[in-house]
Amino acid sequence: MTDEFDFEGVEQEPLHVFTEKAYLDYSMYVILDRALPHIGDGLKPVQRRIIYAMSELGLSASSKHKKSARTVGDVLGKFHPHGDSACYEAMVLMAQDFSYRYPLIDGQGNFGSPDDPKSFAAMRYTESRLSEFAKVLLQELGQGTVDWIANFDGTMQEPSLLPARLPHILLNGTTGIAVGMATDLPPHNLREVAEACIQLLENSRSSLDDLLRHINGPDYPTDAEIITPSAELQSIYETGNGSIRMRAVYEREDGDIIITALPHQVSGARVLEQIAQQMLAKKLPMVDDLRDESDHENPTRLVIVPRSNRVDVETLMSHLFATTDLEKTYRVNMNVIGTNGRPQVKNLKQMLQEWIAFRIDTVRRRLNWRLDKVDKRLHVLEGLLIAFLNLDEVIRIVRYEDDPKAELIRTFKISEIQAEAILETKLRNLAKLEEMKIREEQQKLSEEKKQLEKLLGSDRRIKTLIKNEIREDAETYGDARRSPITSRQAARALDETDLIPSEALTVVLSSKGWVRAAKGHEIDAKGLNFKSGDDFRDMALGKSNQSVVFIDSNGRSYTLPAYSLPSARGQGEPLTGRLKLAAGAEFISCLMAADDDLYLLSTSHGYGFVCRFEDMLTRSKNGKALISISGGARLLPPRAIQNLDVDNIASITSEGYIGVVDLKSVPHLSKGKGNKILGIPPKRLKSGEEQVSFTMCLSEKQKLVVHSGKKYKSMNLRELEEYRVERGKRGRKLPRGYQNVSLVEVVD
């Protein structure tokens, strides 16, 4: 049996229509009634309700503090039916002088700290009242300046906006995340914003550049520096989008680095933790110690102790700025709800223009409200004056008439309001002196009415009034800029090599491709202990913060950082554990040098070229192709070049031929085969009968020593002139007895 359902009289609609409508309703609520501030008073609904509820509780700046729980209870019960913790957190934020540039609430008790803004005590322990600055928002509230709306249950009225006397939207800024949009408005200096408003009131055609002569940039509640370039700041104020960079301020004191100001909402404890983590990871060898000496007198005092006086403090701080919260970026998204009730990203001029329009409307409403009050009082005074001029008749009517009110209206042609005022007049006020007081008040109010009508009849006078009020408030609440705007170079994180101490190092390569590094340059590399069947192949002298280049028999180069190599206390480790060597290849050479140092690379077939050390470097474990080696040829050891202009190349073949060539005639390449340095007949080269055995570089003052068994021959550059040939030509035979060359050396 199946159940039958009757949907008659039940509203029905497709699910996709219902969900779309529900989501749009929710998103519009979040955007308009929760997350985004209004341009008029710069407040979100919860902030507005907190401020208004506190004013209704009589918590002015001159009153006693009251428990925060009392305020939160009133806000939730009367105006804002949401969570108490969220409401209290919004209240605490407005009391934190490190979060708000101009706090709206004066808190007493634990309201958090810069290190942990959310470490505030529970609302049952803290007390609060409105700050003096809150008068800017509340001073004109009861003067007909804003519309009133019903609260959530319709039992009370609350202001839809607060009548801000200053553009609070820019002064304290705000952040908020809505649905599909967000807002991030930085705080600004009151005096600067006031001057920009006055500039716009005096000349509505003022350009953005005119306004930026007064507003230099944001002004956060911290003494840290704003390092955003002026061009970027201008772009932010033109578009309403961008980012602000802040950097901590430090000074030197007895060799230590003292950080005295941190960027907005940056925790000193967090910064010290970030630096300590780098020290534990051995990425900051130049820092010896950290201390937090912050106290009541010095709210921010972080001490960084360098390892020695030789540490470059600017380089160290640049690294810390780049890798810790000592430098922070803040997003700017000037998205607010405009006077038309719609959210929009506005530039600086649009925001000020719209707020000024809001302020002009507010002042007009205030003046009209006051004019209405004056008119009503003058009307009452006119009736009272008639009564005093006809006092006896009034007394008679009151004593003998059954309906004195109606009789007064009929007799003296007065209104019901005037008759009511006459009847409510006390006997003590019937003295002759009261007539004079009435006439004085009437005259005073008549003059005020004329002034109000003059103001309301002239836009220029209203603007002048607003300017004077802005100046008065700027004088009362304004202060000097806290966040200096300065020009700084971009921070740069140090490379691993920059962080490694520069110590003398000797890298030793064995014949079987094992490597190790010994501290110092006075190392007997050949006398080191090698594994059985292994022996010395090559060595390189350099610093621990340099790179080591290894070259294999296929002409490929590989790179490793010198500091990462194993100690020479042991026998090292095989390079094949870190680098991928081709089958059949072997490492034949290792080099350490500056990036611009030059080397001669050559093969046994007589080809070669000059290469910079930097061109040999690579990050690939597979290495990079450096020099092309044709079939049957082998790579000769690279030779360092001391002076490119005067050095010479001496090449000796296996048959005892020697040729001296100008180094300048050899090409400069980053990789390749190169050109022929010494010519060997192709047939002999192809058959392998003759190859280049040695290629050496000589400077002017060096000698070439050729060993043949136990005999040796030493020749300086002048003596070698007889062997000089053009590049690519065949050399000449060495003297008889020295043609079977076993070793060639270059000595100073």
Side-chain angles (χ1 to χ4, degrees):
M1 181 178 180
T2 59
D3 295 333
E4 293 185 2
F5 296 96
D6 183 10
F7 293 103
E8 186 178 351
V10 178
E11 183 181 351
Q12 298 183 52
E13 62 181 352
L15 181 61
H16 74 276
V17 174
F18 172 78
T19 52
E20 181 180 351
K21 181 177 180 298
Y23 182 75
L24 285 174
D25 288 346
Y26 165 74
S27 62
M28 289 306 295
Y29 165 74
V30 173
I31 291 167
L32 300 178
D33 289 327
R34 188 185 295 181
L36 299 190
H38 194 281
I39 198 167
D41 57 11
L43 297 174
K44 301 176 187 177
V46 65
Q47 297 170 326
R48 187 179 302 117
R49 287 163 177 165
I50 290 170
I51 299 299
Y52 174 64
M54 292 184 77
S55 71
E56 287 296 287
L57 284 169
L59 296 177
S60 65
S62 57
S63 69
K64 289 180 65 177
H65 292 81
K66 279 189 180 178
K67 285 289 184 184
S68 300
R70 171 75 182 276
T71 299
V72 172
D74 261 39
V75 172
L76 300 186
K78 294 178 180 178
F79 310 114
H80 197 72
H82 294 277
D84 59 342
S85 59
C87 179
Y88 180 51
E89 188 172 329
M91 180 179 169
V92 167
L93 189 70
M94 292 190 285
Q96 293 175 337
D97 58 2
F98 50 84
S99 295
Y100 260 47
R101 183 65 178 82
Y102 301 97
L104 297 170
I105 293 175
D106 175 16
Q108 188 168 274
N110 178 10
F111 274 80
S113 67
D115 272 347
D116 189 2
K118 294 193 176 182
S119 63
F120 48 83
M123 58 185 171
R124 61 182 178 274
Y125 300 121
T126 62
E127 297 179 340
S128 56
R129 66 183 179 188
L130 291 169
S131 68
E132 195 72 28
F133 181 75
K135 288 181 181 178
V136 169
L137 300 173
L138 295 166
Q139 191 170 333
E140 301 173 358
L141 185 58
Q143 300 176 21
T145 48
V146 294
D147 294 327
W148 292 77
I149 56 176
N151 69 338
F152 65 91
D153 61 2
T155 58
M156 303 181 70
Q157 294 284 302
E158 62 174 312
S160 60
L161 292 172
L162 296 182
R165 289 167 59 91
L166 292 169
H168 179 255
I169 187 76
L170 288 174
L171 301 184
N172 274 321
T174 190
T175 61
I177 300 174
V179 177
M181 61 179 66
T183 183
D184 289 278
L185 269 160
H188 291 79
N189 184 268
L190 193 156
R191 290 177 180 170
E192 293 180 5
V193 173
E195 288 299 322
C197 288
I198 292 169
Q199 166 80 34
L200 209 52
L201 282 164
E202 290 176 346
N203 180 9
S204 60
R205 295 184 179 179
S206 297
S207 65
L208 182 66
D209 290 336
D210 295 331
L211 300 178
L212 292 180
R213 291 193 185 98
H214 303 290
I215 298 178
N216 300 319
D219 187 21
Y220 291 88
T222 172
D223 297 329
E225 298 174 337
I226 294 173
I227 61 168
T228 307
S230 57
E232 288 185 28
L233 287 174
Q234 183 166 356
S235 174
I236 289 170
Y237 289 125
E238 281 178 354
T239 62
N241 283 295
S243 60
I244 303 290
R245 289 197 303 280
M246 290 197 82
R247 181 177 288 184
V249 174
Y250 71 93
E251 56 189 38
R252 300 296 302 278
E253 186 179 296
D254 298 329
D256 295 341
I257 302 167
I258 312 296
I259 297 169
T260 57
L262 293 169
H264 182 48
Q265 294 180 330
V266 167
S267 162
R270 173 63 180 153
V271 168
L272 291 179
E273 182 185 341
Q274 290 173 332
I275 299 174
Q277 286 175 351
Q278 293 191 43
M279 292 172 67
L280 288 173
K282 297 184 179 180
K283 292 182 178 179
L284 272 182
M286 63 280 287
V287 175
D288 188 51
D289 192 20
L290 296 173
R291 293 195 304 274
D292 187 353
E293 296 182 355
S294 305
D295 55 26
H296 184 69
E297 293 183 2
N298 302 288
T300 302
R301 183 178 169 85
L302 307 181
V303 182
I304 301 174
V305 182
R307 188 169 293 278
S308 71
N309 292 329
R310 296 191 302 274
V311 172
D312 187 336
V313 172
E314 288 190 7
T315 302
L316 169 61
M317 290 307 297
S318 179
H319 170 76
L320 293 178
F321 289 142
T323 57
T324 70
D325 286 345
L326 287 175
E327 182 175 315
K328 197 169 182 183
T329 301
Y330 303 87
R331 192 176 62 140
V332 177
N333 181 21
M334 298 165 73
N335 187 15
V336 297
I337 298 172
T339 52
N340 60 1
R342 296 180 179 180
Q344 183 185 354
V345 176
K346 303 179 188 293
N347 63 31
L348 179 64
K349 185 176 178 180
Q350 287 174 327
M351 294 195 78
L352 289 178
Q353 281 177 326
E354 199 160 326
W355 180 82
I356 287 172
F358 166 80
R359 181 61 186 157
I360 290 172
D361 180 60
T362 303
V363 171
R364 278 190 176 278
R365 294 178 67 160
R366 186 187 80 199
L367 295 175
N368 279 315
W369 177 85
R370 179 57 186 166
L371 182 60
D372 185 51
K373 290 282 185 184
V374 169
D375 281 337
K376 287 179 179 177
R377 183 59 181 166
L378 283 171
H379 182 64
V380 170
L381 290 175
E382 186 181 346
L384 291 176
L385 197 56
I386 291 172
F388 273 97
L389 293 174
N390 301 277
L391 192 56
D392 292 339
E393 181 63 17
V394 169
I395 292 172
R396 187 196 68 77
I397 291 171
V398 172
R399 287 187 66 182
Y400 298 111
E401 293 293 335
D402 293 334
D403 189 359
K405 182 177 179 181
E407 188 60 28
L408 285 172
I409 293 171
R410 186 185 64 78
T411 303
F412 299 110
K413 303 295 189 290
I414 60 177
S415 68
E416 187 175 340
I417 294 172
Q418 290 171 322
E420 194 70 39
I422 291 169
L423 291 171
E424 289 178 358
T425 304
K426 295 180 180 179
L427 285 174
R428 75 174 67 175
N429 295 334
L430 298 178
K432 181 69 178 173
L433 197 60
E434 287 300 317
E435 183 184 342
M436 295 172 60
K437 288 183 178 178
I438 290 171
R439 290 189 182 277
E440 285 177 9
E441 186 181 354
Q442 200 174 34
Q443 183 181 355
K444 186 178 178 182
L445 290 176
S446 295
E447 289 176 0
E448 185 181 351
K449 180 179 179 180
K450 287 180 183 177
Q451 291 298 322
L452 289 170
E453 287 174 342
K454 276 186 180 179
L455 283 169
L456 287 167
S458 169
D459 290 341
R460 183 176 58 81
R461 283 193 172 94
I462 286 182
K463 287 183 178 180
T464 301
L465 174 63
I466 293 172
K467 281 193 296 182
N468 292 335
E469 289 175 349
I470 288 175
R471 285 196 178 101
E472 181 185 336
D473 289 337
E475 185 65 29
T476 304
Y477 306 109
D479 57 5
R481 167 174 280 277
R482 287 196 61 184
S483 303
I485 298 175
T486 55
S487 176
R488 301 288 187 195
Q489 290 185 345
R492 186 185 74 87
L494 296 173
D495 297 330
E496 282 189 348
T497 53
D498 296 328
L499 295 168
I500 301 303
S502 180
E503 299 174 340
L505 208 65
T506 300
V507 176
V508 181
L509 176 67
S510 76
S511 296
K512 292 192 175 180
W514 285 59
V515 68
R516 52 188 142 169
K519 289 184 178 180
H521 288 167
E522 309 299 323
I523 304 296
D524 179 13
K526 295 181 180 179
L528 291 174
N529 182 28
F530 292 88
K531 292 177 74 67
S532 177
D534 200 2
D535 58 5
F536 173 81
R537 168 62 61 88
D538 196 12
M539 63 181 284
L541 305 180
K543 300 285 187 181
S544 55
N545 59 354
Q546 287 181 303
S547 296
V548 187
V549 168
F550 300 93
I551 301 177
D552 70 7
S553 54
N554 288 341
R556 297 184 71 83
S557 66
Y558 307 79
T559 308
L560 289 175
Y563 71 85
S564 69
L565 300 179
S567 170
R569 291 192 183 98
Q571 293 176 331
E573 64 180 45
L575 282 173
T576 50
R578 297 199 197 181
L579 305 173
K580 293 184 179 179
L581 192 67
E586 59 180 355
F587 293 104
I588 63 169
S589 184
C590 63
L591 307 172
M592 292 177 76
D595 287 350
D596 292 330
D597 284 356
L598 300 175
Y599 281 85
L600 174 67
L601 299 177
S602 59
T603 66
S604 60
H605 282 190
Y607 288 88
F609 60 90
V610 174
C611 179
R612 294 169 69 242
F613 181 77
E614 186 179 30
D615 294 329
M616 304 180 193
L617 300 176
T618 177
R619 292 184 179 181
S620 172
K621 289 184 177 182
N622 295 317
K624 64 176 285 189
L626 186 62
I627 181 169
S628 301
I629 302 176
S630 54
R634 60 183 176 83
L635 182 65
L636 299 177
R639 302 300 180 187
I641 297 171
Q642 295 182 7
N643 190 325
L644 188 65
D645 293 327
V646 296
D647 280 9
N648 291 268
I649 304 172
S651 299
I652 301 175
T653 71
S654 56
E655 294 296 315
Y657 283 85
I658 181 172
V660 178
V661 176
D662 286 339
L663 184 61
K664 290 185 289 185
S665 64
V666 177
H668 289 241
L669 301 173
S670 59
K671 63 178 181 178
K673 183 178 181 180
N675 289 359
K676 203 160 201 178
I677 299 173
L678 190 68
I680 298 175
K683 287 183 179 180
R684 297 181 63 81
L685 197 62
K686 190 173 182 180
S687 63
E689 292 180 46
E690 185 178 5
Q691 290 190 345
V692 176
S693 301
F694 303 95
T695 299
M696 314 296 288
C697 287
L698 288 89
S699 66
E700 287 183 304
K701 296 180 180 179
Q702 289 180 321
K703 293 181 180 179
L704 187 72
V705 181
V706 179
H707 293 261
S708 181
K710 294 182 179 180
K711 296 165 51 178
Y712 68 89
K713 180 176 179 64
S714 177
M715 296 172 283
N716 59 29
L717 204 56
R718 184 176 55 80
E719 293 170 327
L720 288 169
E721 281 299 317
E722 64 176 290
Y723 300 105
R724 184 172 295 280
V725 294
E726 291 182 13
R727 182 185 59 77
K729 300 294 184 181
R730 186 165 173 78
R732 297 179 182 177
K733 277 256 188 183
L734 284 164
R736 191 180 296 274
Y738 295 99
Q739 294 173 0
N740 188 16
V741 180
S742 57
L743 177 67
V744 178
E745 293 179 303
V746 174
V747 296
D748 294 328

